[in-house]
Amino acid sequence: MTRPIVAYKSDPRRGAVWHEVFAREAPELELLDWAAGDARAAAASYLVAWTPPDELPRALPRLEALFCIGAGIDHMPLAGLPDSVALVRMVDPALARSMAEYVVLAVLALHRDWPAYRTDQAAGRWQARPLALAANRRVGVMGLGEMGRAGLEALRPFGFPLRGWSASPKAIPGVDCFAGPAELAAFLAETDILVCLLPLTEETRGILNASTFAALPRGAGLVNAARGGHLVEADLLAALAEGRIAAAVLDVLSPEPPPPDHPLLAHPAVIATPHVASATHPESAARQVIAGIRAHRAGRPIPNRVDRRQGY
């Protein structure tokens, strides 16, 4: 019996782990590394990739499902993807745990004035700043999917009052939840540290802008661990200069990699990291794809299939 072919098009070092997992746990599937012009890979029913091959319908005419190797699919060429091909995003518990670690790190850095202390150290200043209680620092998370919920849960033990905002209504124990454009201003008005974990869609592109910053309490902190496209960088620079935003932690910029003279990289009130908040873990990601393929072949819905109308 011919085994279904799964083409892998991503980092070859991680790919070695994928091959081990597939060989050990899914012998009924054949995992092949993608190479343009390879007739066997072109016969794949399933593709695992961060970016698919150009002219996808011609390159993989038998494709039934495309598994994105990351949680976000905003970079995917949806217009060139046939409706018959299922698009599946990665929802990996290990990915969410890593993001939760980053959210805690970033929020605590802003809560404890880490950017200001870094500036003081560089200038040779030894001075203490007022110590705020976590109970008096309200943290708001934009985006209440798996990443946002994991971040909120990780913050809970510190005692911050927690708030959340999303496109559609959500209910999370211990979190004041807001939804939709009508409730955005109320959410922002009592958020001292704003964390963006939204998917990047046409509705959320540029949402971290001058209007958003003006709606926050003066001196608020900002964390963007979602996508560079969420942030209007010129508006953040202006808000930092005015003191509207006191400091920011940014894991994403636009473009990536940014030029060495990017103004936010050298800004004393900004901590920037090179898109490392979280990354797909190859073992658990491979198992998720195996489970999705088995569901598809059994006629069941594939978990985490993207609703293309919503963009996530």
Side-chain angles (χ1 to χ4, degrees):
M1 182 177 177
T2 303
R3 295 186 295 168
I5 295 174
V6 183
Y8 174 89
K9 182 180 179 289
S10 192
D11 181 0
R13 294 171 298 177
R14 292 171 171 265
V17 178
W18 281 73
H19 280 280
E20 291 174 5
V21 174
F22 267 71
R24 183 176 64 248
E25 301 182 20
E28 78 277 13
L29 302 173
E30 183 176 7
L31 183 68
L32 297 177
D33 292 324
W34 168 261
D38 184 329
R40 294 189 67 223
S45 301
Y46 304 97
L47 173 65
V48 177
W50 174 249
T51 53
D54 293 334
E55 299 183 23
L56 185 60
R58 186 170 61 83
L60 289 158
R62 301 182 186 176
L63 190 65
E64 298 178 42
L66 168 56
F67 292 85
C68 179
I69 207 139
I73 53 91
D74 51 276
H75 61 288
M76 284 285 177
L78 298 183
L81 189 64
D83 292 339
S84 59
V85 176
L87 177 59
V88 186
R89 64 190 182 94
M90 190 63 62
V91 179
D92 178 3
L95 193 72
R97 285 194 295 271
S98 296
M99 180 60 78
E101 293 172 358
Y102 189 91
V103 168
V104 169
L105 174 70
V107 167
L108 289 179
L110 296 176
H111 173 56
R112 297 302 299 267
D113 297 315
W114 209 253
Y117 283 124
R118 289 169 66 242
T119 301
D120 287 347
Q121 180 182 353
R125 290 191 294 267
W126 182 269
Q127 60 182 16
R129 296 173 184 274
L131 185 59
L133 296 175
N136 296 329
R137 186 90 74 183
R138 300 159 297 185
V139 179
V141 174
M142 303 179 83
L144 299 179
E146 183 152 343
M147 298 290 188
R149 288 171 180 263
L152 286 164
E153 187 61 31
L155 288 167
R156 191 185 303 277
F158 295 93
F160 296 108
L162 300 175
R163 304 160 64 76
W165 180 87
S166 57
S168 57
K170 301 288 191 303
I172 303 173
V175 178
D176 290 333
C177 292
F178 300 78
E183 297 184 3
L184 180 57
F187 163 75
L188 294 171
E190 297 186 7
T191 292
D192 300 309
I193 297 177
L194 178 65
V195 180
C196 180
L197 293 174
L198 288 164
L200 183 60
T201 66
E202 287 308 308
E203 289 72 30
T204 64
R205 186 177 296 277
I207 196 169
L208 302 177
N209 56 34
S211 296
T212 295
F213 302 147
L216 292 166
R218 185 170 185 82
L222 173 68
V223 179
N224 187 16
R227 289 288 188 267
H230 287 116
L231 175 64
V232 180
E233 294 176 350
D235 289 359
L236 175 58
L237 286 165
L240 288 166
E242 297 165 4
R244 167 61 62 183
I245 299 295
V249 177
L250 306 175
D251 186 53
V252 287
L253 290 171
S254 185
E256 291 182 3
D261 61 350
H262 192 292
L264 287 170
L265 286 181
H267 199 289
V270 174
I271 296 174
T273 53
H275 208 144
V276 294
S278 191
T280 301
H281 296 261
E283 298 92 343
S284 53
R287 292 187 181 105
Q288 179 180 316
V289 170
I290 289 169
I293 292 173
R294 285 174 173 165
H296 183 253
R297 299 196 70 77
R300 302 192 305 273
I302 305 176
N304 308 314
R305 182 169 179 169
V306 171
D307 182 338
R308 297 197 206 179
R309 294 169 300 177
Q310 292 184 320
Y312 55 90

